[in-house]
Amino acid sequence: MSPPTSSSRPSDERLRTVFDTVEPYIERRYGIPVRIRDVPNPFTGDLDGAEIHVDHDLDVAEAVFIIAHLFGHTVQWNTCEKAREIGYRLFENPTEEQLRELVEYEVLACRYSLQLFHDAGVHDLDQWLSDFSACDLAYLLHFYRTGEKRSPMSFWQDGTPVLEPMPIPEFTPTQWVARWEGIVV
């Protein structure tokens, strides 16, 4: 399920190094435990505001994206009540306004992800993370508009606009709700 081979895709070795850099950075700097475990299908990872769970069976590209992306959502959940509401709501027949809110929510999480990379010393994956983020967002929008669950990687495109990092505000990790008890797309 990893993204197609492309010019922006780093090697698995580079991605393992990034994971091994970012995971302890999240735990040390933010006090957020990252649990590598069996995450029930169809999850590939999950969060509750105080912990991040990454499925043990992911390929390294997905694991790097998931840890960074769920960190971004963890920041949002701990700094914005509306973000928490968006994060555990399943949109049924969403309006264009609801989809705009979802896009803003997802893009902001990815901008925090990019800042996390930079803060942890990872400066060479901006294009890759932007491409992965665009792929994830395209998958979500397709699902919400059609109800069809296609392979997420079928939405991959190289060379999407590079995201701008968003400074990570100070926050206190707080368990709000276990998403693994909530909504999954």
Side-chain angles (χ1 to χ4, degrees):
M1 185 150 141
S2 56
T5 303
S6 72
S7 58
S8 74
R9 178 166 162 91
S11 69
D12 284 355
E13 180 180 331
R14 175 64 181 134
L15 289 169
R16 275 193 274 304
T17 299
V18 170
F19 189 92
D20 291 344
T21 299
V22 170
E23 185 261 344
Y25 182 82
I26 292 169
E27 292 182 339
R28 194 174 50 250
R29 168 64 179 87
Y30 294 99
I32 299 170
V34 176
R35 310 279 187 225
I36 311 303
R37 66 181 193 82
D38 182 20
V39 177
N41 284 334
F43 287 109
T44 56
D46 222 332
L47 73 144
D48 66 4
E51 283 187 8
I52 295 171
H53 294 195
V54 178
D55 192 80
H56 67 89
D57 203 27
L58 295 180
D59 71 41
V60 67
E62 287 179 289
V64 170
F65 176 74
I66 289 296
I67 193 174
H69 188 66
L70 293 183
F71 172 80
H73 284 317
T74 297
V75 173
Q76 291 175 294
W77 281 29
N78 283 292
T79 60
C80 179
E81 182 178 350
K82 185 173 182 175
R84 282 190 306 278
E85 291 170 4
I86 292 170
Y88 45 76
R89 177 174 42 175
L90 181 60
F91 296 90
E92 294 186 27
N93 301 312
T95 65
E96 285 303 310
E97 176 60 28
Q98 288 172 319
L99 290 177
R100 273 192 296 280
E101 287 178 352
L102 180 65
V103 168
E104 289 173 14
Y105 171 74
E106 291 295 331
V107 169
L108 183 57
C110 292
R111 292 181 66 199
Y112 286 139
S113 300
L114 189 55
Q115 185 66 54
L116 169 70
F117 275 17
H118 290 186
D119 292 349
V122 177
H123 297 278
D124 60 327
L125 296 183
D126 292 18
Q127 184 65 65
W128 176 82
L129 185 60
S130 297
D131 289 349
F132 214 126
S133 298
C135 176
D136 185 59
L137 181 58
Y139 167 79
L140 285 173
L141 290 174
H142 176 80
F143 171 76
Y144 278 123
R145 286 184 172 128
T146 68
E148 178 188 21
K149 285 190 177 185
R150 286 184 18 203
S151 165
M153 291 302 115
S154 70
F155 294 94
W156 185 270
Q157 290 185 3
D158 287 333
T160 61
V162 176
L163 297 168
E164 286 290 321
M166 175 63 81
I168 298 166
E170 290 298 319
F171 67 93
T172 301
T174 304
Q175 183 179 15
W176 296 98
V177 64
R179 290 224 6 234
W180 43 92
E181 296 171 359
I183 302 301
V184 177
V185 175

